[in-house]
Amino acid sequence: MEIDNPNSNNISDNKFSINVLQLLKSAQMQHGLRHGDYTRYRRYCTARLRRLYKSLKFTHGRGKYTRKTITESTVTEVRFLHLVLYTAERAWSHAMEKRQLPDGPNSRQRIYLIGRLRKAVKWATLFAQLCAIKGDSRTSLEAEAYASYMKGNLLFEQDQNWDTALMNFKSARAVYEELGKYGDLENQVLCRERVEELEPSIRYCLHKIGESNLQASELLQIGEMEGPALDLFKAKLEAVMAEARSQQAASMTEFHWLGHRFPIANAKTRVAIVKAQELEKDLHGPAADSLPAEKRLAIFDKIFTAYHEARSCIRSDLVSAGNAENVKDDLNGLDKAVSAVLGQRTIERNQLLVTLAKSKLTRRRDDKNEKVTKPEELVRLYDLLLQNTADLSDLVSSGRDRKPEELAFSEECALKSLSFRAESLAGKRAEAYALYCRARSLAEDVLQKFRTLNENDQIIKELKMLCDECRSNSCIEHATGIMEEVKAPENLSKRVSNLSLTGADKKLEKYLLEKLDSYESAVGDSNVKGVSRIEVFPPAFQAIPRNPIVLDLAYNFIEFPSLESRMKKEKKGFLRLW
């Protein structure tokens, strides 16, 4: 979408054509905004402007800086319009970069942010004016929509002139709605996406004016939408929600837990607790059952973050409390209460994971493409629940003077632990009849204790289902065991007869003689796949030691004594010479 050829966008009557939305969307998605990285996109805009200035030979001088203005007479190529457009984009991305600071922009940074947005509006307005003269009708219309969108962003950030901001956003939406009816399919999709991104800003402006009765939950639902045009709205929404929490937290002076009232002096602690309680309403509200599991898990993560932030503030206050014993006692009690609530939410999150694992376990034979859930994974989750319940019970029973509410809560934790233990035994479906009988006895014991308390109907219902399931599974296991016992001799003889010395299956890793230390059945287990192999035959060659070769290397260097004196001398006569 980057156009450097001066004649590529010219039409016959000297009017330039730029698909503004498609050009910007392509650049944004390819250079950082797919992941919300405005720094990378700003650097891309800077590099793009440098290339455009050089290619157009429109630099501002080597020595003294003399800025060249872009006017109607200057625009002889479409790349001059690109200069103005990318300058506005660079200023806008710089403002959004400041908006996304971890702790939010402070007063000085916000002044700088608004200055960047003003500059973006200035260049977007110039771009619209030049396109109205030098561009075709579609380009001029898109430029007007772009300028209106930038003006709306500036007023949106300034928290003033909501009527004017609403008018600009509506003007941009009307243009993109009309443009979405024409052109190719890609352009229509982009225009519809931009209309959807503008809708939350319009609704928020109506809410600020007073013409729309938006609830906080609806604003949060709008804030979950994705898109670069919504980042400013999300930042504004988060600031509004933080301000509302601060106002709500100002009236929150105590934290109630199991009959105790703990004073909260730190404002940050109050805000964190209020945020967590608002998120808990989404989990336990009337619309909680309609939430998908992934969204509920995400809400749990936000709750954990809020409570951990509250605990961090409490422990910082403990460090700075000094020798004030009353203050320390209140802070320790508050820390205990927040930790207990955090433990409760952890148990609820793990129970949700158990529900998901059970649903996958029941349909593991039907959905071949889905990841198989093994019974061991379900047992691991139940072990986590047992550990969470034990930790929560220890935390609650750690005090000396306990109230009746704490005693009842400890009893409830013990019953939950017993029910989780029963369910963990029932989760091992590969085990035999004895495990199901044990699980059934535990479940009936817990069910009887819960009935005496006359509460927790949901747990009672789950325990009834657990008892029925354990009874049916124990019957199935019993019947299956009897059938296997009857057929065991026949199956054993059949498998022994099928034993192979070497086997033709090359996928088996080890032979039986190589697995003598592992207690795995080779013929009696029904889960064994393939034919077991005993040993490799013929055996492979092995290197063996042989007798050493002796080389007498010293023989040639030994000087032997002369033996001529011992040799018999031959007598030579006159006749022996011939």
Side-chain angles (χ1 to χ4, degrees):
M1 297 304 299
E2 298 179 1
I3 304 167
D4 289 328
N5 187 359
N7 299 320
S8 59
N9 282 341
N10 292 0
I11 56 178
S12 58
D13 56 350
N14 256 347
K15 294 288 186 179
F16 302 118
S17 176
I18 304 175
N19 196 335
V20 179
L21 184 59
Q22 191 173 358
L23 177 67
L24 293 181
K25 274 287 185 179
S26 176
Q28 290 172 359
M29 292 298 104
Q30 292 178 16
H31 298 93
L33 292 200
R34 186 184 299 273
H35 310 289
D37 190 353
Y38 285 94
T39 303
R40 180 184 167 192
Y41 182 60
R42 177 174 62 85
R43 290 172 180 171
Y44 162 74
C45 292
T46 303
R48 177 70 178 142
L49 286 171
R50 187 183 299 113
R51 291 195 300 269
L52 286 171
Y53 277 120
K54 279 191 175 183
S55 63
L56 289 170
K57 297 181 181 180
F58 196 69
T59 55
H60 304 292
R62 292 186 177 179
K64 184 179 178 181
Y65 177 81
T66 305
R67 183 170 186 81
K68 295 182 179 180
T69 59
I70 300 177
T71 59
E72 176 187 350
S73 59
T74 310
V75 181
T76 57
E77 296 182 15
V78 71
R79 288 179 292 173
F80 284 100
L81 296 178
H82 285 195
L83 273 177
V84 183
L85 178 61
Y86 279 107
T87 306
E89 281 289 291
R90 180 176 63 177
W92 170 76
S93 59
H94 200 175
M96 296 304 298
E97 179 185 349
K98 294 297 181 184
R99 168 51 73 184
Q100 286 193 330
L101 291 174
D103 297 329
N106 54 33
S107 57
R108 292 176 61 88
Q109 290 169 341
R110 190 169 183 276
I111 292 172
Y112 184 78
L113 184 153
I114 293 176
R116 290 285 93 190
L117 285 177
R118 282 200 184 99
K119 184 161 285 190
V121 170
K122 170 189 169 183
W123 286 100
T125 305
L126 178 61
F127 178 68
Q129 292 172 356
L130 293 176
C131 287
I133 301 172
K134 291 291 185 177
D136 59 1
S137 58
R138 180 187 176 87
T139 304
S140 175
L141 202 58
E142 280 199 72
E144 287 291 340
Y146 179 74
S148 299
Y149 168 68
M150 285 298 175
K151 291 175 185 177
N153 282 338
L154 175 61
L155 297 172
F156 196 90
E157 179 62 31
Q158 288 178 331
D159 285 337
Q160 60 185 9
N161 297 329
W162 292 105
D163 294 331
T164 311
L166 177 62
M167 182 182 64
N168 283 289
F169 283 133
K170 283 187 174 181
S171 175
R173 183 183 65 177
V175 171
Y176 288 121
E177 284 178 349
E178 286 299 319
L179 292 176
K181 299 177 183 178
Y182 310 102
D184 55 1
L185 181 60
E186 181 181 2
N187 178 73
Q188 294 179 14
V189 171
L190 289 176
C191 290
R192 289 170 187 167
E193 288 179 355
R194 179 52 63 94
V195 169
E196 292 176 359
E197 291 172 357
L198 288 171
E199 192 65 30
S201 300
I202 294 173
R203 294 181 65 185
Y204 187 77
C205 290
L206 290 171
H207 173 67
K208 296 296 288 187
I209 294 172
E211 297 181 8
S212 175
N213 296 323
L214 278 178
Q215 301 296 328
S217 58
E218 294 177 350
L219 287 174
L220 290 174
Q221 186 176 3
I222 295 173
E224 293 173 359
M225 299 172 63
E226 298 294 334
L230 290 169
D231 289 337
L232 188 63
F233 172 76
K234 290 180 180 178
K236 180 64 65 178
L237 180 60
E238 184 62 31
V240 171
M241 296 302 295
E243 183 179 357
R245 291 190 197 105
S246 300
Q247 294 175 357
Q248 185 178 355
S251 60
M252 180 183 182
T253 58
E254 293 179 340
F255 184 73
H256 301 268
W257 177 74
L258 294 183
H260 294 279
R261 293 183 178 183
F262 302 103
I264 308 175
N266 194 335
K268 291 184 178 179
T269 306
R270 290 197 298 263
V271 170
I273 292 176
V274 167
K275 182 178 180 181
Q277 289 176 349
E278 287 180 354
L279 292 168
E280 287 173 351
K281 291 178 182 177
D282 296 336
L283 286 177
H284 303 120
D289 296 334
S290 61
L291 290 176
E294 292 78 9
K295 191 171 181 180
R296 295 180 68 186
L297 290 174
I299 294 176
F300 273 118
D301 292 337
K302 293 179 181 178
I303 291 174
F304 295 155
T305 303
Y307 276 127
H308 282 303
E309 184 180 352
R311 291 186 64 191
S312 177
C313 296
I314 293 170
R315 292 180 180 182
S316 299
D317 293 338
L318 274 171
V319 173
S320 60
N323 297 325
E325 295 298 331
N326 294 332
V327 176
K328 280 189 173 182
D329 291 341
D330 291 337
L331 289 174
N332 285 323
L334 181 60
D335 185 38
K336 176 182 175 181
V338 172
S339 301
V341 175
L342 183 60
Q344 288 178 279
R345 300 300 166 260
T346 305
I347 291 175
E348 291 175 5
R349 198 274 302 268
N350 289 338
Q351 284 180 308
L352 177 60
L353 293 176
V354 166
T355 305
L356 293 176
K358 280 184 176 180
S359 63
K360 293 181 181 179
L361 187 68
T362 54
R363 63 172 185 266
R364 68 182 185 274
R365 297 178 182 176
D366 300 331
D367 301 338
K368 296 182 179 179
N369 296 328
E370 191 174 0
K371 184 180 178 181
V372 177
T373 300
K374 298 180 180 179
E376 291 81 2
E377 298 178 7
L378 192 59
V379 172
R380 182 183 62 82
L381 290 174
Y382 278 119
D383 290 340
L384 284 176
L385 281 170
L386 289 171
Q387 183 64 40
N388 297 144
T389 310
D391 294 341
L392 184 58
S393 179
D394 293 341
L395 180 65
V396 174
S397 59
S398 60
R400 294 182 180 178
D401 299 329
R402 294 194 293 168
K403 292 191 174 184
E405 291 86 351
E406 291 181 278
L407 296 174
F409 189 79
S410 298
E411 182 68 19
E412 184 181 352
C413 288
L415 294 177
K416 280 186 178 181
S417 178
L418 201 56
S419 65
F420 293 150
R421 187 182 174 197
E423 292 185 19
S424 67
L425 288 174
K428 295 183 179 179
R429 303 190 182 278
E431 300 293 335
Y433 174 76
L435 286 175
Y436 285 113
C437 291
R438 176 63 177 162
R440 181 184 174 187
S441 64
L442 287 173
E444 289 176 349
D445 187 13
V446 177
L447 182 60
Q448 184 178 0
K449 289 184 178 181
F450 267 100
R451 281 175 175 170
T452 58
L453 294 176
N454 295 323
E455 57 182 11
N456 294 316
D457 295 336
Q458 183 64 29
I459 296 180
I460 291 176
K461 184 178 178 181
E462 292 178 358
L463 287 173
K464 286 182 179 179
M465 293 175 61
L466 178 62
C467 290
D468 296 338
E469 188 177 357
C470 289
R471 183 173 180 276
S472 61
N473 286 328
S474 62
C475 294
I476 292 172
E477 290 295 332
H478 193 192
T480 305
I482 293 174
M483 293 172 61
E484 289 181 355
E485 186 178 359
V486 171
K487 296 182 178 179
E490 181 183 354
N491 293 334
L492 184 61
S493 61
K494 182 178 179 181
R495 286 182 175 273
V496 170
S497 63
N498 290 334
L499 276 176
S500 174
L501 182 61
T502 58
D505 191 2
K506 302 297 183 183
K507 294 182 180 180
L508 294 176
E509 296 181 358
K510 292 184 179 181
Y511 292 87
L512 293 180
L513 291 180
E514 296 176 355
K515 299 190 296 181
L516 296 179
D517 294 334
S518 61
Y519 299 93
E520 296 179 3
S521 176
V523 294
D525 194 354
S526 60
N527 294 326
V528 175
K529 297 180 180 180
V531 179
S532 300
R533 302 180 298 173
I534 300 175
E535 180 57 298
V536 180
F537 187 83
F541 289 102
Q542 295 181 357
I544 60 173
R546 57 158 295 170
N547 293 331
I549 300 174
V550 180
L551 300 177
D552 195 355
L553 300 177
Y555 178 79
N556 296 329
F557 298 95
I558 297 176
E559 295 182 0
F560 294 98
S562 178
L563 301 177
E564 291 181 357
S565 60
R566 297 183 181 184
M567 294 176 63
K568 185 178 180 180
K569 296 183 179 179
E570 295 181 1
K571 296 181 180 180
K572 297 182 181 180
F574 178 76
L575 295 177
R576 288 181 181 273
L577 296 175
W578 289 274

